[in-house]
Amino acid sequence: MTLLSCEGLTKRFDGIKALSEFSCAVKEGETIGLIGPNGAGKTTLFNVLTGFIPADGGAVHFQGKGITGKAPYRIARMGIARTFQILRLIKRLSVLENALLCFQDQPGERLGSIFFRSRQSAKQEAANREKAVALLKQYGLGDKLHDLADALSYGQQKLLSLVCCLAAGADLILLDEPVAGIAPEMIEKILEVIKGLPGQGKTVILIEHNMEAIGRVCDRVIFMDAGEKVCEGTMEEVKNDPRVIEAYLD
Ligand SMILES: Nc1ncnc2c1ncn2[C@@H]1O[C@H](COP(=O)(O)OP(=O)(O)OP(=O)(O)O)[C@@H](O)[C@H]1O
Ligand SMILES: [Mg+2]
């Protein structure tokens, strides 16, 4: 079943076409690699999919519903979570607190609970805390729960950002360069986490310049350049496409 479809997405910044008639369809459970040279429009696509920036044209459907133009928090509630190329963890909060902020069901969000900390909301908070601790332990951050996010290595911060997407309970996870600039052993760890996501019913779109990483975890690869989808297929097919070879040699 198609989980996400983009039809004719267009986004311009001044004279630059960051997205140009970009269309794609992603099936439930797929892991898609999104590749392309710097400035190709990869992050812009994530920004449009998550409502961070409005598209100038085109449409996005998620689980059969139109999400074009919806606010980021509404799209997040519908089940799309992302990480950022430049991480957006709250560095002065602990690892556990960062994960807790990502839960969709936050009792404190409701006006009534500002005045009456009901037994129900205390229960929800305790349940979220238990789930967050379990997730952080499962992904190897169990001994860092109370450390400031700032104290983590860059690789651990990237891992925490990924765990935050899982805490959000998202069905579709968008990862913007999850292994760029980190130590080889952390790359291995994060790739193992990504490999395990389809088994948990998650669908993933992954932006990376690390082709080896893409080849290891992705079912299908989309190559974009100058805002356009140039080609898509298996890593082998895309790698051997003359348009891809030319773009990387330029
Ligand atoms: N908020 C913005 N304002 C103005 N121009 C922007 C903005 N965001 C992106 N752009 C421009 O749009 C184009 C696409 O940028 P984008 O960040 O999507 O590329 P990318 O494929 O993610 O590149 P990289 O691999 O370097 O991260 C670039 O020319 C960029 O300068
Ligand atoms: Mg980018």
Side-chain angles (χ1 to χ4, degrees), residues 72-119:
Y73 80 94
R74 292 188 63 195
I75 294 175
R77 286 228 167 123
M78 291 173 80
I80 303 181
R82 70 177 295 183
T83 65
F84 289 86
Q85 191 168 350
I86 298 163
L87 299 179
R88 288 200 182 175
L89 294 167
I90 302 180
K91 302 243 175 116
R92 307 307 300 167
L93 289 184
S94 73
V95 168
L96 176 58
E97 285 163 338
N98 270 280
L100 280 171
L101 282 177
C102 299
F103 280 89
Q104 299 286 346
D105 214 345
Q106 299 278 358
E109 281 177 0
R110 290 187 289 274
L111 189 62
S113 56
I114 294 173
F115 303 105
F116 310 107
R117 214 180 107 89
S118 69
R119 195 182 300 174

Coordinates of all heavy atoms in Angstrom, one line a residue, residues 72-119:
P72 N 3.2 22.0 10.8 CA 4.1 20.9 11.2 C 3.6 20.1 12.4 O 3.7 18.9 12.3 CB 5.4 21.7 11.6 CG 5.4 23.0 10.9 CD 3.9 23.3 10.7
Y73 N 3.0 20.7 13.4 CA 2.5 19.9 14.5 C 1.4 18.9 14.1 O 1.3 17.8 14.7 CB 2.1 20.8 15.7 CG 0.7 21.4 15.6 CD1 -0.4 20.8 16.2 CD2 0.5 22.6 14.9 CE1 -1.6 21.3 16.1 CE2 -0.7 23.1 14.8 CZ -1.8 22.5 15.4 OH -3.1 23.0 15.3
R74 N 0.6 19.4 13.2 CA -0.5 18.5 12.7 C 0.0 17.3 11.9 O -0.4 16.2 12.0 CB -1.5 19.3 11.9 CG -2.3 20.3 12.8 CD -3.4 21.0 12.0 NE -4.4 20.0 11.6 CZ -5.4 20.3 10.8 NH1 -5.4 21.5 10.2 NH2 -6.3 19.4 10.5
I75 N 1.0 17.6 11.1 CA 1.6 16.5 10.3 C 2.3 15.6 11.2 O 2.2 14.4 11.0 CB 2.6 17.2 9.2 CG1 1.7 18.0 8.2 CG2 3.4 16.1 8.5 CD1 2.5 18.7 7.2
A76 N 3.0 16.1 12.2 CA 3.7 15.2 13.2 C 2.7 14.3 13.9 O 2.9 13.1 14.0 CB 4.4 16.1 14.2
R77 N 1.5 14.9 14.3 CA 0.5 14.1 14.9 C -0.1 13.0 14.0 O -0.5 12.0 14.5 CB -0.7 15.0 15.3 CG -0.4 15.9 16.5 CD -1.5 15.8 17.5 NE -0.9 16.4 18.7 CZ -1.5 17.5 19.3 NH1 -2.6 18.0 18.9 NH2 -0.9 17.9 20.4
M78 N 0.0 13.3 12.7 CA -0.6 12.2 11.8 C 0.4 11.1 11.6 O 0.0 10.0 11.1 CB -0.9 12.9 10.4 CG -2.0 13.8 10.5 SD -2.3 14.7 8.9 CE -3.1 13.5 8.0
G79 N 1.7 11.3 12.0 CA 2.6 10.2 12.0 C 3.9 10.3 11.1 O 4.4 9.3 10.7
I80 N 4.3 11.6 10.9 CA 5.6 11.8 10.2 C 6.5 12.5 11.2 O 6.2 13.5 11.7 CB 5.4 12.6 8.9 CG1 4.4 12.0 8.0 CG2 6.7 12.8 8.2 CD1 4.1 12.8 6.7
A81 N 7.7 11.8 11.4 CA 8.7 12.4 12.2 C 10.0 12.6 11.4 O 10.2 11.9 10.4 CB 9.0 11.6 13.4
R82 N 10.8 13.5 11.8 CA 12.1 13.8 11.1 C 13.2 14.1 12.0 O 13.1 14.5 13.1 CB 11.9 15.0 10.1 CG 11.8 16.3 11.0 CD 11.7 17.5 10.1 NE 12.9 17.7 9.3 CZ 13.0 18.8 8.5 NH1 12.1 19.7 8.4 NH2 14.1 18.9 7.8
T83 N 14.4 13.9 11.4 CA 15.6 14.5 12.1 C 16.1 15.6 11.2 O 15.7 15.7 10.0 CB 16.7 13.4 12.2 OG1 17.2 13.0 10.9 CG2 16.3 12.2 13.0
F84 N 17.0 16.4 11.7 CA 17.5 17.6 11.0 C 18.9 17.4 10.7 O 19.7 16.9 11.4 CB 17.3 18.9 11.9 CG 15.8 19.3 12.0 CD1 15.0 18.7 13.0 CD2 15.3 20.2 11.1 CE1 13.7 19.1 13.1 CE2 14.0 20.5 11.2 CZ 13.2 20.0 12.2
Q85 N 19.3 18.0 9.5 CA 20.7 17.9 9.1 C 21.6 18.6 10.1 O 22.6 18.1 10.5 CB 20.8 18.6 7.7 CG 22.1 18.5 7.0 CD 22.0 19.0 5.5 OE1 20.9 19.3 5.0 NE2 23.1 19.1 4.9
I86 N 21.1 19.8 10.6 CA 21.7 20.4 11.7 C 20.8 20.1 12.9 O 19.7 20.5 13.0 CB 21.9 21.9 11.5 CG1 22.8 22.2 10.3 CG2 22.4 22.6 12.7 CD1 22.7 23.5 9.7
L87 N 21.3 19.3 13.8 CA 20.5 18.7 14.9 C 19.7 19.8 15.7 O 20.3 20.8 15.9 CB 21.3 17.8 15.8 CG 22.0 16.6 15.1 CD1 22.8 15.8 16.1 CD2 21.0 15.7 14.4
R88 N 18.5 19.4 16.1 CA 17.8 20.4 16.9 C 17.4 19.8 18.3 O 16.3 20.0 18.8 CB 16.5 20.7 16.2 CG 16.7 21.6 15.0 CD 15.4 22.3 14.6 NE 15.5 23.1 13.4 CZ 14.5 23.7 12.8 NH1 13.3 23.6 13.3 NH2 14.7 24.4 11.8
L89 N 18.3 19.1 18.9 CA 18.1 18.7 20.3 C 18.1 19.9 21.2 O 18.7 20.9 20.8 CB 19.2 17.7 20.7 CG 19.2 16.4 19.9 CD1 20.5 15.6 20.2 CD2 18.0 15.5 20.2
I90 N 17.5 19.8 22.3 CA 17.6 20.9 23.3 C 18.8 20.5 24.2 O 18.7 19.6 25.0 CB 16.3 21.1 24.1 CG1 15.2 21.3 23.0 CG2 16.5 22.2 25.1 CD1 13.9 21.6 23.6
K91 N 19.9 21.2 23.9 CA 21.2 20.8 24.5 C 21.3 20.9 26.0 O 22.0 20.2 26.7 CB 22.3 21.6 23.9 CG 22.4 21.5 22.3 CD 23.6 20.8 21.9 CE 23.7 20.5 20.4 NZ 24.7 21.3 19.8
R92 N 20.4 21.9 26.6 CA 20.5 22.1 28.0 C 19.5 21.2 28.8 O 19.3 21.3 30.0 CB 20.2 23.5 28.4 CG 21.1 24.6 27.7 CD 22.5 24.3 27.8 NE 23.1 24.3 29.2 CZ 24.3 23.9 29.5 NH1 25.1 23.4 28.6 NH2 24.7 24.0 30.8
L93 N 18.9 20.3 28.0 CA 18.0 19.3 28.7 C 18.7 17.9 28.6 O 19.6 17.7 27.8 CB 16.7 19.2 28.0 CG 15.7 20.3 28.1 CD1 14.4 20.0 27.5 CD2 15.4 20.7 29.6
S94 N 18.3 17.0 29.5 CA 18.9 15.7 29.5 C 18.4 14.9 28.3 O 17.5 15.2 27.7 CB 18.6 15.0 30.8 OG 17.2 14.6 30.8
V95 N 19.1 13.8 28.2 CA 18.8 12.8 27.1 C 17.3 12.4 27.3 O 16.5 12.4 26.3 CB 19.8 11.6 27.2 CG1 19.3 10.5 26.3 CG2 21.2 12.1 26.8
L96 N 17.0 12.0 28.5 CA 15.6 11.5 28.8 C 14.6 12.6 28.5 O 13.6 12.4 27.9 CB 15.6 11.0 30.2 CG 14.2 10.6 30.7 CD1 13.6 9.4 29.9 CD2 14.3 10.1 32.2
E97 N 14.9 13.8 29.0 CA 14.0 14.9 28.8 C 13.7 15.2 27.3 O 12.6 15.5 26.8 CB 14.5 16.2 29.5 CG 14.3 16.1 31.0 CD 15.1 17.1 31.8 OE1 16.1 17.6 31.2 OE2 14.8 17.4 32.9
N98 N 14.8 15.1 26.5 CA 14.7 15.3 25.0 C 13.7 14.3 24.5 O 12.9 14.6 23.6 CB 16.0 15.2 24.3 CG 16.7 16.6 24.2 OD1 16.4 17.4 23.3 ND2 17.6 16.9 25.1
A99 N 13.9 13.0 24.9 CA 13.0 12.0 24.4 C 11.6 12.2 24.8 O 10.7 12.0 24.0 CB 13.6 10.6 24.8
L100 N 11.4 12.6 26.1 CA 10.1 12.8 26.6 C 9.3 13.9 25.9 O 8.1 13.8 25.7 CB 10.1 13.2 28.1 CG 10.4 12.0 29.1 CD1 10.6 12.5 30.5 CD2 9.1 11.1 29.1
L101 N 10.0 14.9 25.4 CA 9.4 16.0 24.7 C 8.7 15.5 23.4 O 7.9 16.2 22.8 CB 10.4 17.1 24.3 CG 10.8 18.0 25.4 CD1 11.9 18.9 24.9 CD2 9.6 18.8 25.9
C102 N 9.2 14.4 22.9 CA 8.7 13.9 21.6 C 7.4 13.1 21.6 O 6.8 12.8 20.6 CB 9.8 13.1 20.9 SG 11.2 14.1 20.6
F103 N 7.0 12.7 22.8 CA 5.8 11.9 22.9 C 4.6 12.7 22.4 O 4.5 13.9 22.8 CB 5.5 11.4 24.3 CG 6.3 10.2 24.6 CD1 7.6 10.3 25.1 CD2 5.9 8.9 24.3 CE1 8.4 9.2 25.3 CE2 6.6 7.8 24.5 CZ 7.9 7.9 25.0
Q104 N 3.7 12.1 21.7 CA 2.5 12.8 21.2 C 1.5 13.1 22.3 O 0.9 14.1 22.3 CB 1.8 12.0 20.1 CG 2.6 11.7 18.9 CD 2.8 12.9 18.0 OE1 2.1 13.9 18.1 NE2 3.8 12.9 17.1
D105 N 1.4 12.2 23.3 CA 0.4 12.3 24.3 C 1.0 13.0 25.5 O 1.6 12.3 26.4 CB -0.2 11.0 24.6 CG -1.6 11.1 25.0 OD1 -2.1 12.2 25.2 OD2 -2.3 10.0 25.0
Q106 N 1.0 14.3 25.5 CA 1.6 15.1 26.7 C 0.5 15.6 27.5 O -0.3 16.6 27.1 CB 2.4 16.3 26.1 CG 3.6 15.8 25.2 CD 4.8 15.4 26.0 OE1 4.8 15.5 27.2 NE2 5.8 15.0 25.3
P107 N 0.3 15.1 28.7 CA -0.8 15.6 29.5 C -0.8 17.1 29.8 O -1.8 17.8 29.8 CB -0.6 14.9 30.9 CG 0.4 13.8 30.6 CD 1.1 14.2 29.4
G108 N 0.4 17.7 29.9 CA 0.5 19.1 30.2 C 0.0 20.0 29.1 O -0.2 21.2 29.2
E109 N -0.2 19.4 27.8 CA -0.7 20.2 26.7 C -2.2 20.6 26.9 O -2.6 21.5 26.2 CB -0.6 19.4 25.4 CG 0.8 19.3 24.9 CD 0.8 18.5 23.6 OE1 -0.2 17.9 23.2 OE2 1.9 18.3 23.1
R110 N -2.9 19.9 27.8 CA -4.3 20.3 27.9 C -4.5 21.3 29.0 O -3.9 21.2 30.1 CB -5.1 19.0 28.2 CG -5.2 18.1 27.0 CD -6.1 16.9 27.2 NE -5.5 15.9 28.2 CZ -4.7 14.9 27.9 NH1 -4.4 14.8 26.6 NH2 -4.3 14.1 28.8
L111 N -5.3 22.3 28.7 CA -5.5 23.4 29.6 C -5.8 23.0 31.0 O -5.3 23.5 32.0 CB -6.5 24.4 29.0 CG -6.7 25.7 29.8 CD1 -5.4 26.5 29.7 CD2 -7.8 26.5 29.2
G112 N -6.8 22.1 31.1 CA -7.3 21.6 32.4 C -6.1 21.1 33.3 O -6.1 21.4 34.5
S113 N -5.1 20.5 32.7 CA -4.1 19.9 33.5 C -3.1 20.9 34.1 O -2.3 20.6 34.9 CB -3.4 18.8 32.8 OG -2.9 19.3 31.6
I114 N -3.2 22.2 33.6 CA -2.4 23.2 34.2 C -2.9 23.5 35.6 O -2.1 23.7 36.5 CB -2.5 24.5 33.3 CG1 -1.8 24.3 32.0 CG2 -1.8 25.7 34.1 CD1 -2.0 25.4 31.0
F115 N -4.2 23.4 35.8 CA -4.8 23.7 37.1 C -5.0 22.4 38.0 O -4.8 22.4 39.1 CB -6.2 24.4 36.9 CG -6.1 25.6 36.1 CD1 -6.5 25.7 34.8 CD2 -5.5 26.8 36.7 CE1 -6.3 26.8 34.0 CE2 -5.3 27.9 35.9 CZ -5.7 27.9 34.6
F116 N -5.3 21.3 37.3 CA -5.6 20.1 38.0 C -4.7 19.0 37.5 O -4.9 18.5 36.4 CB -7.0 19.6 37.9 CG -8.0 20.7 38.2 CD1 -8.7 21.3 37.1 CD2 -8.2 21.1 39.5 CE1 -9.6 22.3 37.4 CE2 -9.1 22.1 39.7 CZ -9.8 22.7 38.7
R117 N -3.6 18.7 38.2 CA -2.8 17.6 37.7 C -3.5 16.3 38.1 O -3.3 15.8 39.1 CB -1.4 17.7 38.4 CG -0.3 17.3 37.5 CD 1.0 17.4 38.2 NE 1.5 16.1 38.6 CZ 2.3 15.4 37.8 NH1 2.7 15.9 36.6 NH2 2.8 14.3 38.2
S118 N -4.3 15.9 37.2 CA -5.2 14.8 37.5 C -4.4 13.5 37.6 O -3.3 13.4 37.1 CB -6.2 14.6 36.4 OG -5.6 14.2 35.2
R119 N -5.0 12.5 38.2 CA -4.4 11.2 38.3 C -4.1 10.7 36.9 O -3.1 10.0 36.7 CB -5.3 10.3 39.1 CG -4.6 9.1 39.6 CD -5.5 8.1 40.3 NE -6.1 8.7 41.5 CZ -7.1 8.1 42.2 NH1 -7.5 6.9 41.9 NH2 -7.6 8.7 43.2

